[in-house]
Amino acid sequence: MRHLHVPRCGRGRARTRPDRLRGDKAYSSRAIREHLPDPGTTAVIPEPADHAGHRKRRGSRGGRPPAFDTVDHHGRNPVERHFNLLKHWRGLATRYDKLAIAYRSAIVLHAVVTWAKALSDTP
């Protein structure tokens, strides 16, 4: 989180505190939610079924469910689809490259190939 920089649309220094943090069910722990940089930062992370079951089993001592915005959570779909495309290249999915520059160049090459396929008029 300390390496996060959100660029501004116009002039000015990049923001370091996001408005929202989108995540997968795997990142729904209390520790991650408490690690958010600002109390105003909203975590858009769904609650796993086992967490909900444990909370309900405890009754009134289980507390409230964490806030969740379903509409905002659907904004993760394009990002997840792109990561799934990247996983088709085994070298990128398993991170065989030792150097960061070689890994980055493979990602750029994958992006060029993907865009070329999307822009071509033949299947």
Side-chain angles (χ1 to χ4, degrees):
M1 292 295 284
R2 61 190 155 110
H3 298 295
L4 178 69
H5 295 287
V6 181
R8 294 198 184 269
C9 295
R11 298 178 65 176
R13 189 175 58 171
R15 294 185 308 135
T16 57
R17 298 194 185 271
D19 295 330
R20 297 174 188 263
L21 176 72
R22 293 180 181 145
D24 199 1
K25 283 185 180 183
Y27 300 101
S28 181
S29 69
R30 183 178 299 141
I32 289 177
R33 291 177 190 274
E34 289 174 356
H35 186 67
L36 293 176
D38 190 22
T41 303
T42 306
V44 184
I45 305 171
E47 184 181 25
D50 62 334
H51 289 202
H54 295 311
R55 185 177 42 76
K56 289 177 182 175
R57 180 176 44 86
R58 294 188 68 189
S60 62
R61 293 178 295 128
R64 294 184 180 144
F68 179 66
D69 186 3
T70 308
V71 176
D72 191 26
H73 182 68
H74 288 298
R76 291 181 54 244
N77 189 3
V79 177
E80 291 292 328
R81 285 185 183 201
H82 186 70
F83 276 115
N84 288 334
L85 279 176
L86 284 174
K87 289 178 184 178
H88 287 284
W89 283 31
R90 187 178 307 224
L92 291 175
T94 56
R95 184 73 196 256
Y96 285 139
D97 298 317
K98 300 294 182 210
L99 298 176
I101 188 122
Y103 186 72
R104 184 170 190 262
S105 62
I107 289 179
V108 169
L109 178 64
H110 180 269
V112 168
V113 170
T114 303
W115 289 335
K117 284 182 182 178
L119 295 175
S120 70
D121 56 353
T122 58

